[in-house]
Amino acid sequence: MAWVATAELAAAVSNAGGLGVIGAGHMPPDALQAEIRKVKALTNKVYGVNVMLMSPFVKEVMQVVIEEKVPVVTTGAGNPGEYIPALKAIGSKVIPVVASVALAKRLERTGVDALIAEGMESGGHVGEITTMALVPQIVDAVKIPVIAAGGIADSRGIIAAFALGAQAVQIGTRFVATKECIAHENYKQAILKAKDRSTVVTGVSTGHPVRVISNKLTREYLEREKNGATPEELEEMGAGKLRAAAREGDVERGSVMIGQIAGMIDCVSSVEEVIQEMVKGIPAVLSAIEQTCKEQ
Ligand code: TUI
């Protein structure tokens, strides 16, 4: 989660019992190095870095990750195959995000430690398959652990993911609406205001579909996309827009990347509260399932 998953949020998640991940996004390598050093100062727990493979700095960013011996490296928006040997050589756990069974199988052969199966309910760059359909198909196709992502924000989502065969979950949108997240207040309010149908997917014609809140920017973007704008024109329209929304609070002309589950989120809490609530809610969900099964 570029611009929102900073060292502060990652450290808070790790300190509260999760695995906090810094979203490198398009960060230049020196900025990422500073974030990594900050997270090391804020927690002595395990943390991770997500490397966005479409970043213009991806090679230098990987170099920083290796120099800093980041313990867990997740990747997104592409195939990380060429970087895996170097990451494994320094002992990092490598966990790529995949949106298809084919890439999951290919990456398992390269020796990755686990996979994140991310459904199209997620915010930001998305694939085409829902979490519900993707997770069990990837679980059946590989032997390594699968982490489910996309559309998960409470105990019910966690149990559903486990029922599909996942061994862990990745949670994004819920953690943006927390006190520790440095996202602009307007961005957090946009999550609270969102309903089930508040997001749209833009950029399908560019080959890089992105889920964002529907606003002035997306209306204009989708109109231009429909009228045959070139991928270059569209990329230019999107440039810098996530930063505008997340840091400057321009949620009308900026790109508010959030998942479909935002419709369920109605308060800004602390990271600790979010995690505690999710974990403590699990037994009640399990007994409700048991009850339903008994009634069949
Ligand atoms: O990467 C994300 N979420 C992101 S990246 C991002 S920045 C961006 N902006 C514009 C265009 C593209 C990126 C904002 N949000 N999530 C992980 C993720 N990875 N979701 C889907 C994928 C994915 C898709 C295709 C991973 C691999 C993949 O494979 C392609 C191939 O080579 O087979």
Side-chain angles (χ1 to χ4, degrees):
M1 295 196 296
W3 296 110
V4 292
T6 58
E8 287 85 356
L9 183 59
V13 171
S14 288
N15 285 332
L19 170 67
V21 177
I22 296 170
H26 287 94
M27 236 185 236
D30 53 341
L32 177 63
Q33 186 177 53
E35 280 307 299
I36 294 171
R37 293 191 175 167
K38 204 194 280 181
V39 85
K40 285 176 181 170
L42 293 171
T43 183
N44 51 18
K45 300 271 169 43
V46 179
Y47 68 93
V49 169
N50 174 265
V51 178
M52 210 284 280
L53 295 165
M54 283 174 52
S55 161
F57 307 111
V58 61
K59 285 205 159 54
E60 297 93 318
V61 156
M62 282 293 188
Q63 205 48 48
V64 167
V65 162
I66 289 162
E67 277 163 25
E68 295 293 325
K69 294 197 165 32
V70 172
V72 179
V73 180
T74 70
T75 63
N79 183 344
E82 64 180 290
Y83 303 105
I84 291 167
L87 292 168
K88 295 303 300 170
I90 59 145
S92 296
K93 298 284 182 209
V94 183
I95 313 183
V97 171
V98 292
S100 70
V101 169
L103 186 59
K105 283 178 161 172
R106 212 180 315 150
L107 287 173
E108 182 183 39
R109 288 198 291 271
T110 67
V112 300
D113 297 278
L115 293 165
I116 300 165
E118 193 185 278
M120 51 89 86
E121 299 92 322
S122 307
H125 183 56
V126 286
E128 290 174 343
I129 310 177
T130 61
T131 304
M132 186 84 164
L134 186 67
V135 172
Q137 294 189 66
I138 291 187
V139 164
D140 287 350
V142 300
K143 294 192 173 69
I144 52 178
V146 174
I147 298 164
I152 303 166
D154 68 1
S155 320
R156 292 171 298 180
I158 294 172
I159 296 298
F162 289 177
L164 297 174
Q167 306 210 351
V169 294
Q170 174 181 275
I171 291 173
T173 303
R174 184 65 194 91
F175 284 131
V176 182
T178 58
K179 291 172 187 156
E180 289 88 344
C181 178
I182 56 96
H184 195 281
E185 196 50 38
N186 295 353
Y187 201 95
K188 296 182 188 177
Q189 287 303 318
I191 294 178
L192 304 195
K193 256 191 263 162
K195 297 190 174 66
D196 54 347
R197 300 179 67 236
S198 295
T199 67
V200 288
V201 174
T202 61
V204 174
S205 69
T206 70
H208 307 301
V210 171
R211 181 176 300 285
V212 283
I213 287 200
S214 172
N215 62 9
K216 209 170 266 172
L217 173 69
T218 64
R219 282 190 287 278
E220 196 183 322
Y221 189 108
L222 288 169
E223 187 61 31
R224 299 256 297 262
E225 205 173 359
K226 200 172 71 188
N227 295 332
T230 64
E232 291 74 27
E233 286 166 339
L234 293 167
E235 293 290 344
E236 196 184 314
M237 234 187 125
K241 294 296 173 19
L242 175 59
R243 184 184 188 286
R247 292 293 171 89
E248 285 143 34
D250 190 351
V251 292
E252 266 308 312
R253 289 185 183 77
S255 188
V256 187
M257 295 187 185
I258 61 160
Q260 288 182 321
I261 203 68
M264 204 176 72
I265 299 167
D266 60 6
C267 61
V268 173
S269 316
S270 72
V271 165
E272 169 94 28
E273 284 164 352
V274 167
I275 293 183
Q276 282 305 315
E277 198 177 309
M278 281 179 190
V279 172
K280 290 200 174 126
I282 285 175
V285 179
L286 290 176
S287 19
I289 293 172
E290 224 174 335
Q291 197 55 40
T292 309
C293 291
K294 271 190 208 141
E295 285 161 12
Q296 302 306 306

